[in-house]
Amino acid sequence: MEWDELSELYGQVIIERAQDPRWFHPLKGSVQRAVVNPTCGDAFTVAVTWDSNRITGVAITAGDGCMIARAAAAVVCNLVDHQPVEEAQARLRAFTALVTHKRALTTEEQEKLGDGMAFTGVARFPVRVKCALLACEGVQRIIDSNSSR
């Protein structure tokens, strides 16, 4: 991999988010899901709490991963924390579309993603897409399995 490609992939935002401990902690009273990337061994336990139809807390309670996985986990936690479930899901869909390049994002989606936009280049590295979507997958699984709450 060329240095230019690495510097694009591991931009300053990604490096900072990967080192940010704010979203990596126990979360009392949460629903938790373990997610694993079998390709590289990244593994997290994602935790979510909510009240009525709003996410009230989100964290990574256990596990570890590569820089992309840790940074994306921090960004995903920030995207969905204290959001109505419907808005959280819309943000997860937008982040997934960004990382996979499945569709173009609207200006509004880009604005809502904020630091998540740093993951635009991940699609150029297919082996890293699963890393970037690991926490996203965990949060979505929790929402899906508890949609009747």
Side-chain angles (χ1 to χ4, degrees), residues 15-145:
I15 292 168
E16 288 172 6
R17 294 300 163 264
Q19 296 171 346
D20 182 359
R22 178 176 29 167
W23 300 106
F24 296 82
H25 59 81
L27 188 59
K28 188 175 179 178
S30 62
V31 175
Q32 301 189 15
R33 282 287 182 273
V35 287
V36 177
N37 180 351
T39 305
C40 64
D42 294 342
F44 292 127
T45 300
V46 180
V48 175
T49 58
W50 60 81
D51 179 17
S52 185
N53 201 30
R54 178 176 292 278
I55 292 175
T56 58
V58 61
I60 306 301
T61 61
D64 199 9
C66 68
M67 185 176 296
I68 292 292
R70 289 192 322 268
V75 166
V76 165
C77 288
N78 188 58
L79 286 173
V80 302
D81 193 36
H82 291 92
Q83 295 297 320
V85 171
E86 193 171 295
E87 176 64 24
Q89 289 179 303
R91 290 176 180 212
L92 294 173
R93 284 190 300 272
F95 186 73
T96 300
L98 172 80
V99 170
T100 61
H101 282 209
K102 296 282 187 199
R103 67 173 173 82
L105 298 181
T106 66
T107 302
E108 181 181 353
E109 287 174 319
Q110 291 175 23
E111 290 170 1
K112 286 181 179 181
L113 288 183
D115 283 350
M117 293 301 295
F119 292 85
T120 300
V122 172
R124 292 181 47 212
F125 305 90
V127 73
R128 295 293 186 201
V129 169
K130 179 74 173 166
C131 301
L133 293 177
L134 196 58
C136 189
E137 175 187 337
V139 172
Q140 189 60 58
R141 282 187 189 173
I142 291 170
I143 291 170
D144 290 347
S145 67

